[in-house]
Amino acid sequence: MVAAGLVALALIAQAEAGAAEPSAPPAASAPTAPAESAPTPPPPSESPPPPEPAVPATVQAPAPPRRYGDKGSIELGLGLTYSSEAGFAAAASARYYVVDGVAPGVEATFVAGGSAASRYGVLLGSLRLVPLRFSSIAFAVTARGGRVFVGDHADGWGLGGAGSVMFLFSPTVGFELGYEFLRLLPASFCADLDGCVIHGPIIAVRFGF
């Protein structure tokens, strides 16, 4: 009986000793990997602006070919002739086309005189009209009027005109053939002259720019 009591005491002491020992710390849990964040969706792409409407190319019509007597043309003329009756004659002219085929201008002629004509000169204002114009030929009519100077005689006036054909080498260079007349005024001015009308052929070179 005594032995049984000793065994009981030993078991109680052993139980108390086990209770006094510190309990082992809990096993450390393995570190967990950080959760991967879900990829951020890309921002919605902006739609490109609508294309601008195509501007149709402007097609310029080719300029019409230049012709004799076009607006803005300046024409210069020079004529030289000689005959046994009239002697040496020189003529010069200048005109400006204010509109197509219409040109005011100025003309001057000097005749040295011969066996049947006295020396004289004319200084005339003119207006040229070109009703027909082609690439190689043109037809012109010219009205004239101005002062007539006669050697050893009183001066007077003249009024007349001319018709001519232009044979064109280019729109600004041509050879002119025609006929002209000039009525002398007043009648008293030409009463003692060979006549009151001056007339003759036109032979001249015309050039301009």
Side-chain angles (χ1 to χ4, degrees):
M1 187 171 179
V2 174
L6 291 174
V7 172
L9 289 174
L11 292 174
I12 292 171
Q14 187 177 0
E16 290 178 357
E21 292 179 0
S23 61
S29 60
T32 59
E36 296 183 357
S37 60
T40 305
S45 59
E46 297 181 358
S47 59
E52 297 181 357
V55 179
T58 303
V59 179
Q60 295 183 350
R66 188 176 181 184
R67 296 185 298 172
Y68 172 77
D70 280 350
K71 177 182 177 180
S73 300
I74 297 175
E75 179 187 285
L76 304 177
L78 180 64
L80 296 172
T81 61
Y82 176 82
S83 69
S84 59
E85 294 183 355
F88 173 80
S93 64
R95 53 180 52 93
Y96 177 77
Y97 285 87
V98 293
V99 296
D100 290 346
V102 180
V106 61
E107 302 182 5
T109 302
F110 173 76
V111 178
S115 58
S118 61
R119 182 174 64 252
Y120 69 90
V122 295
L123 180 62
L124 308 173
S126 66
L127 180 65
R128 169 160 287 194
L129 304 178
V130 187
L132 296 175
R133 301 182 297 150
F134 304 99
S135 59
S136 59
I137 193 170
F139 299 89
V141 292
T142 307
R144 297 167 171 158
R147 197 68 171 164
V148 180
F149 309 95
V150 180
D152 298 330
H153 193 280
D155 299 333
W157 298 92
L159 183 64
S164 58
V165 179
M166 296 285 299
F167 299 94
L168 303 170
F169 308 114
S170 76
T172 57
V173 179
F175 182 68
E176 181 178 14
L177 293 177
Y179 201 83
E180 64 182 349
F181 75 94
L182 191 69
R183 173 74 181 182
L184 303 181
L185 299 170
S188 59
F189 165 62
C190 57
D192 56 344
L193 299 177
D194 293 338
C196 289
V197 177
I198 300 173
H199 57 89
I202 298 173
I203 304 174
V205 175
R206 305 288 180 185
F207 57 94
F209 47 91

